[in-house]
Amino acid sequence: MATVKKVSAIKNTPKHLLGIQNLSVLEAKEILTEAKSFIKLNRGSSKKLDVLRGKTQINLFFEPSTRTQSSFDLAGKRLGADVMTMNMSNSALKKGETLIDTAMTLNAMHPDIIVIRHQDSGAPNLLSQKVNCTVINAGDGRREHPTQALLDALTIINRKGNIEGLKIAICGDILHSRVARSNIYLMNMLGAEVNVIAPKTLMPKGIDNLGVKSYTDMKKGLDGCDIVMMLRLQNERMQGSFLPSKREYYEFFGLTPEKLKFAKKDALLMHPGPMNRGVEIDTKLADDINVSLVKEQVELGVAVRMACLKLYCK
Amino acid sequence: MKEKILTNLRIVDPSQEIDEIGNIVIDETGKIKSIGKGSETSKSVEKINLKGLIAIPGIVDMKAFVGEPGFEYKENFRTLSQAALAGGVTSIVTMPNTKPIIDNVSMVDFIIRRGRDKAKVNLFPCASITRQVEGKQMTEFGLLKARGIIGFSDVNKTIQNTELMSRIMNYASDIDVLIMQHAEDYELSKNSCINEGEVATRLGLQGVSDIAEKIIIERDLSLLSKFPCRYHINQISSKNSLDVIKKNKSNGVKFSTGVSINNLSLNQNDIGEFRTFLKLSPPLRSEEDRLSLIEGIKNDLIDVIVSDHIPEDEESKRLPFAQAATGSIGIETLLSLSLELYHNDSLPLEKIIKCLTFNPAKILKIDKGTLKKGSDADICIFDLEKPWMVKAEDLKSKSKNTAIENRKLQGKVKMTLLKGEVVYSD
């Protein structure tokens, strides 16, 4: 009998990870399965593999980032790649170089993977058209943050066993959030029901067409939810007069132990970080290990990024 | 020049409500001598048989940007006129947002001379409504008009200051100048680059609501009822704006309205994954909006179809969507893309031609857009059925930022005449 060769969904499709929107269910599941295998490795004492030995990974960060950048950095190193991180927020762009020029310069150095974070939506797509290597989106504008959604999915699967059939609430500044968008696509794709909760000024138009139910009331929106994802409220939004005050926001949309009771009894709390304690989340709740998955998210983030790097790098 | 006769054409001239097979006779001075069936001619004439083709008055495009002066690398008078003639456009209203801006008399003299030397089309330059298009102080309407300015426009900028706008209208009403407004409330449109809605949400781009357009139209039409000047809304893009226009027209307010062929033929979904050539102002909106604009033309709420020809070099477009320049070229494809609306049964041919010829000429008060006896023989002759595909590299514009690359169109210009002379033939 002929042996059945394991077929990778990703190897047969374009080599960039630009967003969950471009991903098929098979691809998403393949990444998650691969990531699972790295969890144990990351917890062990010897963490280094050589699957990406000889490969060059450039982290191109046009926007400041702590956890995503360090997570990608570590992921690449653990797989044996040579990792270079370029902090672009005060670099060539200020000298008038365009994204394309920067890309072409880097491309000439023959990297195998470019991990990009950019403040403009669609920048990774543009980059991917101009370089010869794999492009992985580490967050673009308010469009997508695919690895964040994937790590969130892995965290949920790790705790709940499965995503299918769960009810997930995403609360906060949906309008400006790429994390919310990527999670909406991925959780829907994996069979969850998604509620989004935000004040009207922070709710994007046409969100219902993305396959979610939208609420402005935490009580209604959290009802029956298994997972509560809180989003960071960016302080700069206050100046744009999206909201009257932090105090008022916390009153109606901040997650407190009382509001969490609207969700299911065993509901778990997630946050992509960094957190504004006392603005979108009660500080004790954020640290409650029985409820909060925040630390686990960060941990599994490395595993997910390792999986992405491994699967997408040719 | 010898007398010419163009024979066996289907002549469509909305200015005379003509749609018939016949001949066009052009006299030695380049004027139309006669049109119709029984056109008698002497023997010593040049005879051109154009059986199966349609003749319409040369198209009048009310909104195009010519790069001169200051942006010659994007477009110049020569390339613009080549593109125009290949599209059957013989009269162009040029925008004043050049570098320097056309807001003073000496600039007007310059571009009129320059255009006369380099361009082979009729040029009708606009000056800006406000100095440096800053929206602060009105330009010298009277002096500029006397030097040959056809109308006033801040192009894709809007006069935000209501007091200033009321004064502009008040002043303009006395000296019979045309004020062309771009309708966009800046506070509402801040940082936006696309229509507000699902597409913007998916692409993660800042959207602008159609309210930003509507609110300015409502404001201006309120002012207009008090200060009745010649007022034209450059381009509308939404159903909401049409409702306002309808209400005001039925109340007897007099003004005119334009629409870009892009907003009639494309919608926000065509932007796909960040196609910056489709970043336009006003933005492409929903399919419902597009269909309502077609209805607007049918019901005479919209008078003019423009190309909104904005040449942009590749560098300005090869950027993340939010940073990329706004606009697309379109003067060469204006007619062909408009004919798509005929072929897909959206609009009757006569109506399309009217919005491209007679209506703009009427608004501008120029003796163009007609094949009446005695007028200049500016004629566009096209094959209504000919299929072709838009290829950016084949377009004559210096910039290649077409919004309809690879689109399959039906109907193509075969010949363009300017004052009786064949200036383009395919």
Side-chain angles (χ1 to χ4, degrees), chain A residues 20 46 61 104 120 176 182 184 243 270:
Chain A
I20 303 293
S46 175
F61 277 65
M104 298 316 279
D120 282 323
H176 299 98
S182 286
I184 288 169
L243 298 166
M270 301 175 82

Side-chain angles (χ1 to χ4, degrees), chain A residues 49-66:
Chain A
L49 294 179
D50 63 355
V51 286
L52 292 185
R53 190 171 61 191
K55 305 283 185 191
T56 306
Q57 172 191 339
I58 298 179
N59 298 335
L60 197 56
F61 277 65
F62 291 89
E63 225 181 35
S65 152
T66 322

